[in-house]
Structure formats: structure tokens, C-alpha cells
Amino acid sequence: MQIPVEGFMYPNEVELQWSVLIVLYPYITGLVAGAFILASLERVFRVEAVKPTYRLALLTALSFLLVAPMPLQLHLGHPERSFEMYLTPHRSSAMAMFGFVYLWYLMAVLLLEIWLDYRRDIVLKAQTSQGFTRLLYRLLSLGSNNISERSLRIDERLGYFITLIGIPSAFLLHGYVGFIFGSVKANPWWSSPLMPIVFIFSAMVSGIAAVMLLYMLTTHLRTRTIDMRCVDTIARYLLYTFVIDFSLEMLDLLQRIYEADESFRSLDFMVHTRLWTSQVIIQILLGTVTPIVLLGLTQVLTLTDTARKRIYAIAGSLTVVGIFAMRWNVVIGGQLFSKSFLGYTTYKMGFATREGLLTAIVLMILPFGILWVLVKLLPPWPDAGSLPASGTTPAHGTT
Amino acid sequence: MRFSGPAIQTPAHGKNHVFKDIEHLIRLAAVMAIGLIAFIVLRAAVVPRSFGQYGHYRGAAIAEAAAHPISYAGHTVCEGCHTDVVEQKKLGKHVGVPCEACHGPLAKHADDPASVTPPKLDTAVLCARCHEANSAKPKWFPQVVTADHSGGVACDTCHQPHKPRIEDEKTAASGRKN
Amino acid sequence: MDLSRRRLLMLLPAAAVAWKYVEAGTPESSPNYKLTDHWWAMLIDIPKCIGCGSCVRACANENDVPEGYFRTWVERYHVSDWKIERPEVESPNGGKQGFPPNEESGGKNFFVPKLCNHCSDSPCTQVCPVGATFSTPDGVVLVDKTYCLGCRYCVQACPYGCRFINPKTNTAEKCTLCYHRITKGLTTACCEVCPTGARQLADLKNPNDPIHEFLRTHTVQVLKPHMATGAKVFYNGMDGSVR
């Protein structure tokens, strides 16, 4: 065996089944759920301050959601059979049900909400653009160009209702990802009723941080001024969810340490050796404690706008890295130890292989490419100059 | 809709207006309905016939699993022909050891005894697989350290594998019972 | 030997008929096999296992198991008196070539053959998203390799490490309890070649199967009973340190 093994593994366990691509899957899904929940803050909970990020958050969620199944497809032994998941879904399988949760979330929540929110823009663009773009917008408008005040009001009400459904759906989407891992009783590193909840909160943390960074970055690139009230609010929510997330994770950890069941020695050794860097250093110290302290400082100290922006940028970046490390530690960590609790294997990540690092990097860049296209197609900026001057305020947002 | 227009008078005008304002939603619903119908049709066409025959799986898969070719004929098949060996084994401790444990998979031989013949076995390797001393082996099991015991000499120089005890050979003629 | 072969046909007509079907590879026409009449299990008698690895080799031969993967394997345990909960276990190449001699260093040493437990509440079939792995009506957990996605969720869900992905087919694979043999009146390849009878195929629905008497009169347990998988591979004389 070329894979280094320490102690005893059952012979079939030596090879890891789920690669870095399966690390990406909960990471990307988490960003979707988190971004959507941030968007719904504005719409359902009427947090006016975060309004500048509403549409950006929705488009971010869509870009990542479109990429979410790709790592799964790439890692399947038979990607051409994946449609069986919809044809003959096994009701007792968390993974099969995830297919439907995903479809529900994509079709019934996200696409619908974006479509309703952008319908006025789409119709106006269809009327003013030329050639292929015109055709595209006409197609998106489904051939209806009715943007009467009444129809927009109906859209607005329906959109609100969908956001209302969307919040539990986003929770479901990522909670379900947590359940896929949390329900594996054979694996003590995964098997935990807290798993779905930890996944939801870490998803919110990563999604909020990602949208905050994206907003700051895009505003900077467009040479506009960052709305400090907006980022301050987002940062505050980020801090709150982060504190909950961290408490849940620590609760899980404390319980494991205190109970010290049959798997504890083995897992404890793993955390202190193979996972020390990715779990303790990157995930907990750099990716969780540091951003919480930084964000906490902005709450207790009076800092200049520039200082706050810098802190938010640093904290946000550390957060998205930290949450990635968390996904890594769950997925990869859960496969490094033997289910006999007597040994450990090693994960050898390929580079230019189907499930290698290069693929992972491409898959991580892809959502930004999609986002770029979506932003071109459906500008999320309230001050979008590309919109035909109609003299009215943008149709989206709260009533 | 053109012909129904004039028939509907003033009260219907408002209704028409409502319809117009949700027309885009009806179109969307239509698109979704078409998608759903396409899915249902596709599903009916693509799901294997035997799916669900016994449970949530392809029933035909059971027969397919059972159709795998056989490599080990099983000792009862061997014993049907090799009656002399059966008699010989009855006299020794290897009576319970199935033929293919040592001789390897021989279903092809059982099927066509004339053209497929089993290879000659190397007892120096074969016997050691079971009888090489190892502290994890049960105490009742006869074990030797082959290096000390035979020094690499093939086991069948002294032992007859079908009736391995050496003293058996000497006493067999004088009517040993076991 | 031609004469004896003819004698076989005379003496064992039933066996000969079965053999004909066996060779033809047409299980549907195997005489008298009814799915609902059987409930397959296996008995492993640890005090009888000598760690020769015959079962591992036979399994690989019979089922074309790819090198480096195991549908069955044998582990050697060393349990010292001081660390009953921390046994030293090894399984070089699944025990396929047997085990090198080990120094006796106190404690106890023994072999444990492993295979799919054909659980009646199997976690692996539970998690399969498409129904590509399932429990047959006669109690065998099988994989439909023409339907399996290769998502590997079942590999993760098995508490015993019995599943792997076949690198040739890219689908999940595991012990079939030699389904192609047991449906034709033969025993599994591993049981067929076991020189000491440490492995015994058992049919729990057959009232004449010696398994019933054995289970009544011996202290038998299954692997990881706390997993509550309804494992049907019964171990006789198994030490508590085995996991």
C-alpha cells in the first residue's frame, strides 16, 4: 500500500472515499444558504441597512447553488447515472432527499425570487436591448411584458411570501447537508444530532461573510463608496451568528471530551496530530476566535471607517477560510481514523486528477465567473446606470 | 380569447384586468407544469421494468447476481468421481478438509475432466499455510516450525497429504480403527 | 476417471442436475429455489480459525475481487492482559497469504475472519440514494452494479468496513455471500475451502440447519452489537476486544 497507515485500519478503509470535492460541497451549499439568509434579513426582517446587498446576495446564492452539484457529479463513479436520484429516490436516504431539497430550493425559491424581483428590469431590458440580448431577456420575461403597478405589487407580495418559505428552505438545504453526515451512525466523528444545527450556523457565518466581502470588493471595483451603515450591520449580524456557531461547536467538543466514549481516544489523538493544523490552528484559532475578537472590537471601540473596513475585510476573509477548514475537518477528518478505532490513514490529494486540487480550485472560481455573468445580465446595483431611466425608484425592496 | 371578449361585459373587465396582471405568473406555472409532465413521462420511460418487484431496487438484479460463474465446484462434486481419495481421506485427519482448500478452484475441471487438469501442488508452500507455527493459531491445531521440522524438504516426501500421519501408513495394514 | 464421472451421474442425480444449471449460469432455472424459503447467515467459529487465508484467496478467485480490496479478510489479534480495550490488530494484505510468525509476548492471540454481516437492518442499504444496494427476500445484501452511482455513501455507512469501490467498475462492491452459489445448493467459496470448518453458511429458515442447535448451545455474538444493525454473521468464542 502506498498510502501511509498508522496502526490498524480495516483493509478497505485505507483509501479515502470522499475527497476534497466533497469538502467543497457543504462549503458551497453553506455559502448559498448563508447568502440567502442575509438577503432575507432585509426582506422579511426589514433590516433596511443591508438593502444594498439584497440583490447581490441573491445572485451570489444562485451562482454558488448552480455550482453546488458539480463537485458531487465529478466525484461519482458513474455521473451519467445521477439522474436515478430523481427517478428512483430512496426515501430512507438522506442523500436522495437532498436532491429534492436542492431542486426545491433552486426552482421554487431562489430562481423564483430572483425572477420576481428582477422582472421589471428584465422587461425593460427586453424593450431596450438589441439582437441576442433582446432574445435572452424576452425569454427570461416568458414573453410577458406587463409591468403595470398592480402586477409588480403582486410580484412583490408573492416574492415576500417566497422569502418567507425561503428561510426555512435555506435552513433545510444546509441542515440537510449536516444530516447527511450527522446521520452516519457508523462514524462517531460525524454522528451527532448537533451536526445539522452546526452546519446551518456555520453556513450563515460563511454566507454572510462572503456577501460582505463581495459587496466591499464590488463597490471598491466600481469606485463607489461603501455604505458603512450597511457593512456595520452585516458585521454585527456576522458576529452574532458567529458567537452562536462557536458556542454550538464548543458544546459539541465539550460533550465529546467529557463523555469520552469508545471513540474518544482515537479521535482525540487524531485532532492532536493529523488535524492539529487544520482544526485547531486554522479552524478554531485563526478562522473563529480571531474574527470573533476582531468583530467584537469594532463593537466596543470607536474606530474610523477605514479601520472598520480593514477589520471587516480581515475578519471576513479569515471567516471564509475558517469555515472551509471546518468543512475539511468534518469530511476529511471523518475518514482518517479507522472505525476499529485502532489506526489512521492519510489523505493524499491529487493535483491534476478528476478529484484533485486543480479541479477544486476551478470549482471554487467558477461561481465567481457565473456571478460575473449574472451581474452583467441582471445588475444588482441600486444605482445601476444600465437601467433605462424611468424616473421611478427600483421596484424591488420592501414596500 | 378573441371571441369571448365581447361576450364578457363590464364586471368581467376587472376580472380580465386581474388575469392580465398575473399573466406572467400563469406563464411561469405553465413552464413548470410542462417541466413536471416531461419529468413524469421520462420517469415512466426510463425506470427499469423490474424496479420495485421485491422492494426499492431492480428485481432483476437478484437473478443477475445469481448468474455469476462458479469457480469452486464444491467437494461433493469432486467426491462423486474421486471415490478412491474419499476412502483414503477417511483414514486420516484431513477427512474434513475440502478438496479445493488445497487443490484450488476446479469447477472447470469438474465440467470437463478430460481437458482441464489440476496443476501439481507444491507441498512445501501449501502445507505451511496451515501448519506453520503461529501463536495465534489454536493450541489444538498441529503446527511446526517448517525450518526446523523439514528444512525445506517437500512435505510429501514423508507425509501423504490425503492421510498425513506417518505412523498411519505403517499401522494401516494391521487394521487401525481410527 | 470417465467411469467415475458416469457413476457420479448415477449416484447423485440431484447434484448432477444442479451442477448442469450451475454451469449454464441460469439461476432462474435452478431447481426449486424459492427466495422466501431462506434466510441466510454465517457462523464463524473463532477457536477453529487457523489464519491460513484460504477463505480470502477463494473469495478473490470466485468473485474476481480486485487486488488490494477485500470482500472477506482475516485479522490477527493480540490482546495483552494490561490493555484489554486496546488490542493490537494486523491484517497484512487481508491475511490473503496467511500471517508471518509472531513472537509470543503474553496475552492472547487469535484470528478473526471478517466479511459483510448481511445485516437485516443494514445502514448501507438505508443510505443508498437510488436503491442500488438492497436486502434480498432471502436475507442477503447485494449491490446492483448496473445501477450504482458510485457515490460511496454506503461505504461510509458500513460500520464494519466491508465495502469498497471496485476501481474497474467504479461501483460499490462487497461480499454477496456467494449468492450465485447458495442459490444453487452450494456453500460459499470461503466456507467451501475452510480447512477447519471455522466458517459455516447457515440458513435460519431451514429447521434442519445445524445452526439452530449451535446457537442454542454456544455463547455467540455479533460484531459491534451496539450498532444495532441486525448483523447475521455470528461469532462463536469471540473475545470482547474484537471490533
Side-chain angles (χ1 to χ4, degrees):
Chain A
M1 263 315 127
Q2 60 273 49
I3 303 169
V5 171
E6 190 180 340
F8 171 72
M9 302 286 288
Y10 296 132
N12 295 326
E13 277 184 324
V14 173
E15 192 182 315
L16 257 72
Q17 299 300 329
W18 286 350
S19 66
V20 63
L21 296 192
I22 305 300
V23 177
L24 285 188
Y25 153 69
Y27 185 57
I28 290 176
T29 327
L31 290 172
V32 174
F36 184 86
I37 287 164
L38 179 63
S40 56
L41 263 186
E42 189 265 343
R43 189 140 193 182
V44 176
F45 302 108
R46 316 224 181 266
V47 183
E48 283 290 326
V50 301
K51 197 166 173 174
T53 64
Y54 172 70
R55 285 181 153 193
L56 183 67
L58 283 184
L59 295 185
T60 307
L62 181 60
S63 318
F64 279 95
L65 193 65
L66 290 174
V67 175
M70 290 182 194
L72 297 180
Q73 284 287 343
L74 277 168
H75 123 280
L76 286 182
H78 286 272
E80 80 282 2
R81 294 179 188 166
S82 58
F83 67 93
E84 289 168 3
M85 201 102 83
Y86 290 109
L87 295 178
T88 57
H90 195 199
R91 268 174 312 187
S92 67
S93 167
M95 198 183 272
M97 288 306 109
F98 178 79
F100 287 92
V101 173
Y102 173 84
L103 206 63
W104 162 261
Y105 190 74
L106 177 70
M107 306 301 279
V109 175
L110 205 49
L111 278 179
L112 205 55
E113 176 158 345
I114 292 174
W115 187 71
L116 289 172
D117 194 62
Y118 271 101
R119 213 175 58 79
R120 178 179 166 276
D121 299 25
I122 291 169
V123 170
L124 291 177
K125 287 232 178 197
Q127 285 165 353
T128 53
S129 55
Q130 301 288 322
F132 175 72
T133 23
R134 182 186 170 82
L135 193 73
L136 191 68
Y137 284 116
R138 294 261 321 245
L139 206 66
L140 285 176
S141 72
L142 297 177
S144 161
N145 53 9
N146 181 6
I147 48 168
S148 67
E149 211 158 290
R150 209 185 141 128
S151 72
L152 290 181
R153 217 168 40 244
I154 292 171
D155 287 357
E156 170 61 33
R157 246 180 296 163
L158 189 60
Y160 176 80
F161 178 67
I162 287 166
T163 318
L164 222 53
I165 301 173
I167 296 170
S169 298
F171 273 78
L172 189 66
L173 180 78
H174 206 63
Y176 223 100
V177 179
F179 185 69
I180 285 179
F181 293 97
S183 62
V184 178
K185 71 175 167 189
N187 191 320
W189 186 244
W190 292 343
S191 176
S192 158
L194 271 183
M195 200 61 121
I197 306 179
V198 168
F199 262 55
I200 287 168
F201 277 96
S202 57
M204 285 164 67
V205 167
S206 67
I208 293 172
V211 173
M212 183 178 78
L213 288 176
L214 270 174
Y215 170 72
M216 285 165 70
L217 185 71
T218 49
T219 316
H220 183 72
L221 289 177
R222 291 164 63 240
T223 60
R224 308 288 154 91
T225 43
I226 290 172
D227 181 344
M228 281 317 285
R229 193 166 76 99
C230 172
V231 281
D232 282 340
T233 313
I234 297 178
R236 205 167 60 240
Y237 279 105
L238 178 60
L239 177 63
Y240 297 159
T241 40
F242 223 153
V243 168
I244 298 174
D245 177 47
F246 188 54
S247 316
L248 286 169
E249 282 185 41
M250 287 305 107
L251 193 64
D252 188 56
L253 196 65
L254 276 175
Q255 176 86 0
R256 281 169 188 276
I257 293 171
Y258 193 81
E259 273 193 358
D261 69 6
E262 57 162 0
S263 65
F264 179 69
R265 281 181 68 140
S266 184
L267 299 181
D268 186 51
F269 183 79
M270 180 175 78
V271 171
H272 282 89
T273 52
R274 280 167 160 71
L275 287 186
W276 183 257
T277 314
S278 61
Q279 174 115 358
V280 179
I281 307 287
I282 300 179
Q283 183 192 328
I284 296 178
L285 290 180
L286 286 176
T288 308
V289 175
T290 313
I292 285 179
V293 169
L294 285 176
L295 291 170
L297 282 180
T298 63
Q299 298 300 308
V300 290
L301 301 179
T302 320
L303 297 163
T304 62
D305 284 5
T306 325
R308 290 211 306 286
K309 268 188 270 186
R310 285 194 184 139
I311 288 180
Y312 294 156
I314 295 167
S317 308
L318 285 175
T319 303
V320 290
V321 172
I323 300 293
F324 180 82
M326 183 261 182
R327 309 296 189 225
W328 174 279
N329 294 323
V330 169
V331 176
I332 302 297
Q335 303 173 84
L336 291 179
F337 65 95
S338 170
K339 286 172 189 155
S340 68
F341 308 132
L342 293 172
Y344 308 88
T345 188
T346 316
Y347 175 46
K348 293 256 180 203
M349 181 162 49
F351 180 67
T353 55
R354 191 167 76 137
E355 296 191 51
L357 181 64
L358 194 65
T359 318
I361 292 170
V362 169
L363 282 174
M364 235 17 252
I365 293 171
L366 195 59
F368 296 99
I370 295 175
L371 183 62
W372 183 78
V373 173
L374 284 177
V375 164
K376 288 279 162 215
L377 213 57
L378 306 167
W381 329 118
D383 57 345
S386 51
L387 259 189
S390 55
T392 55
T393 50
H396 77 278
T398 49
T399 44
Chain B
M1 290 295 154
R2 215 183 311 145
F3 48 84
S4 63
I8 298 162
Q9 289 304 311
T10 347
H13 185 76
K15 221 188 235 172
N16 215 352
H17 199 72
V18 171
F19 174 75
K20 234 181 104 190
D21 284 337
I22 58 164
E23 190 202 342
H24 60 285
L25 296 177
I26 291 168
R27 280 171 189 248
L28 182 75
V31 169
M32 284 183 163
I34 290 168
L36 192 68
I37 290 165
F39 171 75
I40 291 168
V41 170
L42 185 81
R43 185 179 186 278
V46 175
V47 172
R49 286 279 157 272
S50 69
F51 204 96
Q53 189 184 350
Y54 303 106
H56 190 83
Y57 55 93
R58 217 166 48 84
I62 295 184
E64 285 166 26
H68 187 82
I70 282 170
S71 301
Y72 287 84
H75 63 278
T76 44
V77 174
C78 310
E79 286 159 2
C81 298
H82 299 279
T83 44
D84 49 336
V85 181
V86 177
E87 292 305 316
Q88 204 180 13
K89 275 174 75 185
K90 271 186 193 158
L91 302 171
K93 278 205 166 181
H94 279 176
V95 60
V97 180
C99 313
E100 286 159 308
C102 301
H103 291 282
L106 288 169
K108 288 204 179 89
H109 168 71
D111 189 43
D112 187 0
S115 50
V116 184
T117 48
K120 179 89 178 79
L121 301 172
D122 181 3
T123 52
V125 178
L126 195 69
C127 303
R129 274 184 188 154
C130 291
H131 293 288
E132 187 70 64
N134 192 314
S135 63
K137 284 180 184 175
K139 296 288 166 278
W140 60 265
F141 187 75
Q143 305 162 52
V144 293
V145 178
T146 43
D148 305 342
H149 181 77
S150 62
V153 176
C155 308
D156 60 352
T157 315
C158 305
H159 300 273
Q160 215 289 18
H162 289 145
K163 192 165 59 94
R165 275 180 83 156
I166 293 172
E167 62 266 31
D168 275 6
E169 302 215 324
K170 295 172 195 154
T171 50
S174 54
R176 245 183 75 111
K177 285 280 150 65
N178 54 338
Chain C
M1 288 288 167
D2 201 35
L3 187 75
S4 337
R5 182 161 166 81
R6 246 177 272 131
R7 227 168 82 203
L8 157 76
L9 296 176
M10 282 189 297
L11 286 175
L12 300 155
V17 167
W19 185 242
K20 205 179 89 204
Y21 288 112
V22 162
E23 282 299 291
T26 49
E28 299 88 343
S29 45
S30 296
N32 310 324
Y33 187 83
K34 251 183 87 186
L35 287 169
T36 46
D37 286 352
H38 306 271
W39 192 247
W40 296 107
M42 195 180 275
L43 177 71
I44 309 266
D45 204 345
I46 288 183
K48 281 189 180 172
C49 181
I50 57 169
C52 63
S54 294
C55 47
V56 186
R57 292 189 296 277
C59 178
N61 275 329
E62 181 77 29
N63 299 298
D64 312 315
V65 181
E67 193 60 41
Y69 300 91
F70 302 90
R71 290 187 181 196
T72 184
W73 67 95
V74 182
E75 295 165 5
R76 177 165 65 187
Y77 270 70
H78 169 75
V79 190
S80 89
D81 306 347
W82 303 99
K83 297 188 291 180
I84 284 174
E85 285 188 354
R86 303 290 295 169
E88 284 164 37
V89 187
E90 57 188 327
S91 184
N93 197 24
K96 203 172 182 179
Q97 281 81 35
F99 291 80
N102 55 347
E103 297 105 58
E104 221 144 352
S105 51
K108 56 191 160 188
N109 305 287
F110 52 89
F111 297 107
V112 184
K114 296 271 185 84
L115 71 155
C116 169
N117 288 280
H118 294 281
C119 310
S120 44
D121 299 313
S122 53
C124 56
T125 60
Q126 183 188 28
V127 302
C128 177
V130 298
T133 184
F134 50 89
S135 243
T136 62
D138 43 352
V140 179
V141 177
L142 295 177
V143 179
D144 180 353
K145 62 168 180 272
T146 65
Y147 211 67
C148 172
L149 304 175
C151 75
R152 304 158 188 230
Y153 202 12
C154 58
V155 186
Q156 307 285 9
C158 175
Y160 312 99
C162 293
R163 288 176 168 253
F164 58 89
I165 295 291
N166 183 317
K168 284 191 208 100
T169 62
N170 280 324
T171 53
E173 194 174 306
K174 59 178 276 299
C175 161
T176 61
L177 209 65
C178 282
Y179 198 70
H180 57 297
R181 300 176 61 91
I182 62 174
T183 48
K184 287 158 202 143
L186 295 168
T187 187
T188 66
C190 56
C191 291
E192 176 57 44
V193 301
C194 180
T196 62
R199 302 171 74 121
Q200 299 283 337
L201 178 72
D203 183 356
L204 294 171
K205 274 195 186 169
N206 176 3
N208 301 320
D209 197 303
I211 182 78
H212 301 295
E213 174 65 16
F214 194 95
L215 292 178
R216 271 198 298 275
T217 51
H218 290 76
T219 311
V220 172
Q221 51 175 318
V222 294
L223 290 172
K224 300 191 180 181
H226 57 282
M227 284 287 157
T229 57
K232 293 208 304 302
V233 172
F234 304 110
Y235 285 84
N236 178 47
M238 182 164 74
D239 191 77
S241 61
V242 175
R243 63 273 305 275

